[in-house]
Amino acid sequence: MAIADSAETATRWASSRAIDLWVCFGATFPLQQARDEGAIVVYYEGEPASAFRVFEQMRLASVADVRRVGVIGTTSEQLAAGRCAGVAAVVGIADDDALRAELLAAEPDAIVGSGQLERFESDRYGRGRLLRESVLLNPGPALTTDGVKRAAAGVDLCHREPEFIVLENRIRMRLRQVAEIGDEWHVALISGSGTAADELALAASVRPGRKLLLLENGVYGQRLEQMAARRGIPTEVVRAVWTEPVDVDDVEHALRAEPLIDAIALVHHETTSGLLNPLDRIAALARDVDVRLMVDAVSSFGAEKIELADSGIDFLACSSNKCLHGLPGAAFVLVSPEGAARAAEVPPSSVYLDLPAYIRSAEVGSVPFTPAIPALAALDAALAELIVEGGIAARRESYAARCAVLDAAFERLGLEQLIRPEDRSLCVRSVRLPAGISFERLHDRLKQDGYVIYAGQGPLAREIFRVCSLGALQPAALEGFADRLELALVADPAAA
Amino acid sequence: MAIADSAETATRWASSRAIDLWVCFGATFPLQQARDEGAIVVYYEGEPASAFRVFEQMRLASVADVRRVGVIGTTSEQLAAGRCAGVAAVVGIADDDALRAELLAAEPDAIVGSGQLERFESDRYGRGRLLRESVLLNPGPALTTDGVKRAAAGVDLCHREPEFIVLENRIRMRLRQVAEIGDEWHVALISGSGTAADELALAASVRPGRKLLLLENGVYGQRLEQMAARRGIPTEVVRAVWTEPVDVDDVEHALRAEPLIDAIALVHHETTSGLLNPLDRIAALARDVDVRLMVDAVSSFGAEKIELADSGIDFLACSSNKCLHGLPGAAFVLVSPEGAARAAEVPPSSVYLDLPAYIRSAEVGSVPFTPAIPALAALDAALAELIVEGGIAARRESYAARCAVLDAAFERLGLEQLIRPEDRSLCVRSVRLPAGISFERLHDRLKQDGYVIYAGQGPLAREIFRVCSLGALQPAALEGFADRLELALVADPAAA
């Protein structure tokens, strides 16, 4: 349900109800608005509630997908029947506290009073509901498959049990496979966002009395700079304008000029703009002069080509919810042997953000803190899908096809992109807002059509909008987006 | 499925397969081990695959719960039929890369080669599978309801969209409701573990040039001490032996003796031992002398009585996956107005762990970093369930009933508890290991019966085991546990 495979899917997401058939056990509720919106509401009386009763009603109503069906009931047995039928929504009706508490045993999605049902149904499942699928064209969290979501909703585990360690180790194995690195690389898994992984890595990269060389050409470079400043790490900064890659000669010059530099930090893909920095050349430099290299690859790993083994990269920070198509909540740092040696020489300035603690725990089959188990299970499933898909090479190809659709559309519509073609990433496009078009109106109009675009950040907030190609989506959905964008900008610019 | 409601449920979880009926579309696979374990395997030929074909087979096989049914298929259509039927397992079979990649579009749970199916089926769904439900008696992550898990597997959202902010604000509203505090309290939601929330709060509690008064009588108190040390916060420590609450007179004395003390930090419930510290009296002291109070309530909030409004507590750190029965990955700090004022005076030493950044973002309807959306959606659902259940008072009552079962069992079996009855929490019991009984063997034996107990930590690792009462479970499941424990220790001690 969550793959944006076509323009029709986007339209359906934008306009349809969540539930087409309500099977009400035990009582009659009008659900007038649901009916007005085309839903079928049936009241089942007769034999006791069971999954088979639900299936019969599906057949009668010609609804062939339980993910479009809901069950409403007033007893635990009725709600349990809904759960046994696997329907998308199980709603308990109770007007007193005792019954309400009793219905919890059947694990419904919600329990509401009979007087609130109409409103609740409309707010949560109706055509105008707020929480609904959209074609997410923001730079993550991205659309994920049902397989990934189902993995997150798997069995509850204790993180001190071997089955959890098996899960973590399989994630490590899959990450190494995807990254084409050997077992000598460490994989630190942290519960948190990409920023948590960045700070975990950055904080471990520079020894006391030494300096960081920081490359900055966007919001995320600024964020790394702020991390260094707050930790009191002396920092030299090489800046570039936000629309240009960092100049490798500038980096080399800064490196040669300051022998105290212990590590370089940079953002591989500046999500701010969609710009790629020349990671391979900077890695080669770092290797040549034997300083450690920390890379924020939060929005590039999984989609861009990154040579890791013996490249000069020592810390690669990434999150699960961008190009890897996992859910937000888990992030990681890939650490080279040299990176691990460095981290061991840096006194930790935090308990939670202490990279060696994660590395040491992994070595003894443990975890330092309670991990985000559902997000990890989702990451594991997402990595399995990535591998089946053909690994990073295949994903790169599919992102390239998506970007080709977007680039062609922007050109056709005369929209100017912020970044030169040769510097663009495979997952973010920054497009200048045409004169007289406000981001908010354009965003709201496209969202009505089922597409979520993203604002610019910092000084770019009023200048650009961003359209991203990551997640479980297909070029056909982007073709639909291009049509809607054209409609908004060319056919009916006043509305955008 | 995930509420441990009885001893029978525990036994079923420990011994049964995950899938009772496999519906195979398009090809025949022997699945001999599944059959040997009692599963029914049917091959559907004839009309095209659809959910109704699955339902027919369920009727023929008398399997009335799709959560016990799996579908195996070799085409996208067949797998899609499984998804439309809402079955628990959808497995694609493909022997070449192109087909494998094609089947991804149907969002199966896994894709395997035909030669791997037998082994895969047994490893993932068979009687001896590693990943399975157990009655979790560890101190979180706890058992959660299907309603909570389904919330986590909801629609993909962009965190910059209003629907996400609605979700966050509803969580804040529900947390304030449960905590009985007003809108003047801030709720900082962070992606991470309880330790992340602790460090977020602790780092913001002491101004430069001032001191922390830290109360320590367990592993988590030590962890707070380590956080302060790594951040260079000068700290006075009041210690107690790990089996005794912190002495309030000692705290008062330390407070009076050192005028530079700016904040007190303590662990309300030491999960290490199951000991409660006298939070209310320490809060009153802190209020009297006007120092800020930071509380680790990670394993107490939601179950123990905590007076917050005007109590003297300024920072209360907690995670979603203990007494609140949410999933791991989200945590939070409740911050009093005085706490927020204090945090604003402390220069941040981290970007990710910067409490004022979370408070400021919430005020403008934003988030500083990509949030753990699925864990937050799960927390929202868990809070809704807590409120329906009757709030903290009802949960306290239900935990008390659970502990009564445990305490009676330990007494009957002559097992000595580490903590005096009047100092025990409502969710953790620390029990001395009888002479000659190793934790590992006792653990493994009970796990075979469906129950997961927890080891001691630090110096207690070889002395005690822990049994916890939190999560979606009922006293009847604990009665089953007591029987199994008796069997292990009394009837057959050599095996334990």
Side-chain angles (χ1 to χ4, degrees):
Chain A
M1 302 279 277
I3 294 179
D5 55 356
S6 67
E8 291 68 39
T9 297
T11 302
R12 197 178 67 243
W13 286 352
S15 58
S16 73
R17 298 177 36 79
I19 297 293
D20 295 331
L21 168 66
W22 282 109
V23 180
C24 304
F25 286 117
T28 55
F29 305 101
L31 292 174
Q32 195 53 52
Q33 188 172 338
R35 289 169 192 273
D36 290 348
E37 292 180 352
I40 298 169
V41 181
V42 296
Y43 306 106
Y44 191 86
E45 303 193 53
E47 295 173 71
S50 80
F52 293 118
R53 303 290 92 78
V54 176
F55 300 154
E56 277 169 27
Q57 298 300 329
M58 289 174 64
R59 189 183 282 279
L60 291 170
S62 295
V63 173
D65 186 340
V66 290
R67 294 169 296 175
R68 309 288 309 165
V69 179
V71 161
I72 296 173
T74 57
T75 69
S76 292
E77 293 68 30
Q78 292 161 358
L79 301 182
R83 306 312 305 275
C84 288
V87 298
V90 175
V91 179
I93 306 295
D95 286 320
D96 67 82
D97 290 346
L99 179 59
R100 251 189 266 277
E102 188 190 312
L103 292 187
L104 283 176
E107 305 179 79
D109 296 298
I111 299 174
V112 297
S114 54
Q116 284 85 58
L117 179 62
E118 290 284 332
R119 170 73 183 276
F120 173 81
E121 200 283 334
S122 162
D123 285 353
R124 183 138 160 185
Y125 305 107
R127 193 165 282 165
R129 69 194 182 283
L130 192 60
L131 208 67
R132 64 190 317 142
E133 273 135 344
S134 308
V135 183
L136 297 181
L137 303 177
N138 56 297
L143 284 177
T144 62
T145 64
D146 278 8
V148 166
K149 293 189 188 79
R150 285 154 62 94
V155 301
D156 297 304
L157 293 180
C158 170
H159 57 295
R160 300 292 175 205
E161 294 296 314
E163 52 270 29
F164 173 72
I165 302 305
V166 166
L167 170 67
E168 277 222 337
N169 285 338
R170 193 169 58 225
I171 292 171
R172 290 193 176 93
M173 185 194 75
R174 287 180 167 161
L175 282 172
R176 290 190 186 105
Q177 180 183 347
V178 165
E180 300 182 357
I181 51 179
D183 284 350
E184 70 281 9
W185 281 69
H186 303 271
V187 181
L189 298 167
I190 186 171
S191 167
S193 74
T195 298
D198 275 342
E199 195 159 16
L200 186 65
L202 190 79
S205 65
V206 179
R207 289 168 291 188
R210 306 297 182 97
K211 282 183 155 183
L212 176 71
L213 177 61
L214 187 109
L215 318 188
E216 183 272 317
N217 54 349
V219 167
Y220 295 94
Q222 289 183 332
R223 192 175 284 180
L224 295 181
E225 193 179 347
Q226 191 179 37
M227 286 174 194
R230 290 192 173 177
R231 284 161 189 279
I233 300 174
T235 303
E236 301 281 330
V237 184
V238 170
R239 295 188 202 280
V241 293
W242 285 17
T243 51
E244 301 277 342
V246 167
D247 186 313
V248 180
D249 291 340
D250 290 353
V251 177
E252 184 163 14
H253 185 260
L255 259 183
R256 309 276 179 210
E258 176 53 274
L260 281 176
I261 284 168
D262 217 21
I264 304 174
L266 88 157
V267 177
H268 180 208
H269 171 223
E270 259 298 351
T271 316
T272 320
S273 57
L275 175 86
L276 277 181
N277 278 311
L279 175 59
D280 51 349
R281 293 177 59 206
I282 291 163
L285 263 184
R287 193 184 48 201
D288 285 352
V289 297
D290 195 25
V291 305
R292 301 287 76 78
L293 178 60
M294 181 266 156
V295 185
D296 169 331
V298 172
S299 62
S300 64
F301 182 76
E304 303 292 341
K305 198 171 168 61
I306 304 179
E307 203 84 49
L308 273 165
D310 302 316
S311 64
I313 297 172
D314 295 302
F315 306 95
L316 180 136
C318 186
S319 78
S320 54
N321 55 280
K322 294 190 188 277
C323 304
L324 293 177
H325 302 188
L327 296 173
F332 57 88
V333 186
L334 306 180
V335 188
S336 76
E338 294 78 13
R342 165 59 52 82
E345 292 180 85
V346 180
S349 53
S350 159
V351 168
Y352 195 66
L353 302 173
D354 173 10
L355 184 61
Y358 289 85
I359 293 175
R360 281 192 309 267
S361 287
E363 280 173 346
V364 297
S366 180
V367 285
F369 313 113
T370 304
I373 301 173
L376 289 169
L379 175 59
D380 181 51
L383 289 168
E385 291 186 2
L386 173 59
I387 291 165
V388 165
E389 190 181 322
I392 291 181
R395 187 151 292 177
R396 211 160 54 225
E397 211 171 292
S398 94
Y399 278 27
R402 302 170 190 193
C403 284
V405 173
L406 292 175
D407 288 342
F410 300 143
E411 189 165 343
R412 190 172 73 239
L413 297 172
L415 293 169
E416 190 193 341
Q417 292 198 42
L418 188 70
I419 302 299
R420 279 189 308 247
E422 61 271 29
D423 298 327
R424 290 176 200 157
S425 74
L426 288 170
C427 73
V428 174
R429 289 292 177 266
S430 285
V431 182
R432 289 196 189 279
L433 280 162
I437 304 280
S438 88
F439 172 76
E440 288 71 21
R441 290 188 68 181
L442 184 61
H443 166 276
D444 292 356
R445 159 119 196 212
L446 289 167
K447 193 171 179 186
Q448 279 177 11
D449 293 333
Y451 298 93
V452 172
I453 62 170
Y454 208 62
Q457 272 167 302
L460 296 171
R462 309 228 61 85
E463 277 182 50
I464 64 163
F465 64 99
R466 286 179 283 178
V467 182
C468 308
S469 62
L470 71 176
L473 55 83
Q474 305 285 351
L478 295 174
E479 281 159 14
F481 166 73
D483 293 343
R484 296 302 184 152
L485 182 64
E486 179 164 15
L487 207 62
L489 293 178
V490 180
D492 187 16
Chain B
M1 302 280 276
I3 294 180
D5 55 357
S6 65
E8 291 68 39
T9 297
T11 302
R12 198 179 67 244
W13 285 352
S15 58
S16 73
R17 296 176 39 78
I19 298 293
D20 296 331
L21 169 66
W22 281 110
V23 179
C24 304
F25 286 116
T28 56
F29 305 102
L31 292 175
Q32 195 53 51
Q33 189 173 336
R35 290 170 192 273
D36 291 347
E37 292 180 351
I40 299 169
V41 181
V42 296
Y43 306 106
Y44 192 87
E45 302 194 54
E47 295 172 73
S50 80
F52 293 117
R53 304 291 94 77
V54 177
F55 301 154
E56 276 169 28
Q57 298 301 328
M58 287 174 65
R59 191 185 280 279
L60 290 169
S62 295
V63 173
D65 186 338
V66 290
R67 292 170 296 176
R68 310 288 310 164
V69 178
V71 161
I72 296 173
T74 57
T75 69
S76 293
E77 293 68 31
Q78 292 162 355
L79 301 182
R83 306 311 305 275
C84 288
V87 299
V90 175
V91 178
I93 307 294
D95 286 322
D96 68 81
D97 290 347
L99 179 58
R100 250 189 267 277
E102 187 190 313
L103 293 187
L104 282 177
E107 304 179 82
D109 297 299
I111 299 174
V112 298
S114 55
Q116 285 85 55
L117 178 62
E118 290 284 333
R119 172 72 183 278
F120 173 81
E121 200 283 334
S122 160
D123 284 353
R124 184 139 160 184
Y125 304 107
R127 191 164 283 163
R129 70 196 183 282
L130 192 59
L131 208 66
R132 65 191 314 144
E133 274 135 343
S134 307
V135 183
L136 297 181
L137 303 178
N138 56 296
L143 285 177
T144 61
T145 65
D146 278 7
V148 165
K149 293 188 187 79
R150 284 154 63 94
V155 301
D156 297 304
L157 293 180
C158 169
H159 57 296
R160 300 291 176 207
E161 294 297 315
E163 53 271 29
F164 173 72
I165 303 303
V166 166
L167 170 67
E168 277 222 338
N169 285 338
R170 194 170 55 224
I171 292 171
R172 290 193 177 95
M173 186 195 73
R174 287 179 167 162
L175 282 172
R176 289 190 186 105
Q177 180 183 346
V178 163
E180 298 181 359
I181 51 178
D183 285 351
E184 71 280 10
W185 281 68
H186 304 270
V187 181
L189 297 167
I190 185 171
S191 167
S193 75
T195 298
D198 275 342
E199 196 158 17
L200 186 66
L202 190 80
S205 65
V206 179
R207 288 169 291 188
R210 306 296 181 99
K211 283 184 154 182
L212 176 70
L213 177 60
L214 188 112
L215 318 188
E216 182 272 316
N217 54 349
V219 167
Y220 296 92
Q222 289 183 334
R223 193 175 283 178
L224 295 181
E225 193 178 347
Q226 191 179 39
M227 288 174 193
R230 290 191 174 177
R231 283 160 190 280
I233 300 174
T235 303
E236 300 282 329
V237 185
V238 170
R239 295 188 202 280
V241 293
W242 284 17
T243 51
E244 302 276 342
V246 168
D247 187 315
V248 180
D249 291 340
D250 290 353
V251 177
E252 185 165 12
H253 185 261
L255 260 183
R256 308 277 178 210
E258 176 53 272
L260 281 176
I261 285 169
D262 217 20
I264 305 174
L266 88 158
V267 177
H268 181 208
H269 172 223
E270 259 299 351
T271 315
T272 321
S273 58
L275 175 85
L276 278 181
N277 278 312
L279 175 58
D280 50 349
R281 295 177 58 203
I282 291 162
L285 262 183
R287 191 185 48 199
D288 285 352
V289 297
D290 195 27
V291 305
R292 301 286 77 76
L293 179 59
M294 180 267 156
V295 185
D296 168 331
V298 172
S299 62
S300 65
F301 182 75
E304 303 290 342
K305 198 172 169 57
I306 303 180
E307 203 85 47
L308 272 165
D310 302 316
S311 65
I313 297 172
D314 295 301
F315 308 95
L316 181 137
C318 186
S319 79
S320 55
N321 56 279
K322 294 192 189 275
C323 304
L324 294 177
H325 303 185
L327 295 173
F332 57 89
V333 185
L334 307 180
V335 187
S336 75
E338 295 78 12
R342 166 59 53 82
E345 294 180 84
V346 179
S349 52
S350 160
V351 168
Y352 195 66
L353 301 173
D354 173 8
L355 184 61
Y358 289 85
I359 292 175
R360 281 193 308 269
S361 287
E363 280 172 348
V364 297
S366 181
V367 285
F369 314 113
T370 304
I373 301 173
L376 289 169
L379 175 58
D380 182 50
L383 290 169
E385 292 187 1
L386 172 58
I387 291 164
V388 165
E389 192 181 319
I392 291 182
R395 186 151 292 176
R396 213 160 52 224
E397 211 172 294
S398 94
Y399 279 27
R402 301 169 190 193
C403 284
V405 172
L406 293 175
D407 288 341
F410 299 144
E411 188 165 343
R412 191 172 74 237
L413 296 172
L415 293 170
E416 189 192 344
Q417 292 198 41
L418 189 69
I419 302 299
R420 279 191 307 248
E422 62 271 27
D423 298 327
R424 289 176 199 156
S425 74
L426 287 170
C427 74
V428 174
R429 289 292 178 266
S430 284
V431 181
R432 289 195 189 280
L433 281 162
I437 304 279
S438 88
F439 173 77
E440 287 71 21
R441 290 188 68 181
L442 184 62
H443 165 276
D444 293 355
R445 159 118 196 213
L446 289 167
K447 193 171 179 187
Q448 279 178 12
D449 294 332
Y451 297 93
V452 172
I453 61 170
Y454 208 63
Q457 271 166 304
L460 296 172
R462 309 229 61 85
E463 276 183 50
I464 64 161
F465 65 99
R466 284 178 285 178
V467 182
C468 307
S469 61
L470 70 175
L473 54 82
Q474 304 287 350
L478 295 174
E479 280 160 16
F481 166 73
D483 292 344
R484 296 302 184 154
L485 182 63
E486 179 164 15
L487 207 64
L489 292 178
V490 180
D492 188 16

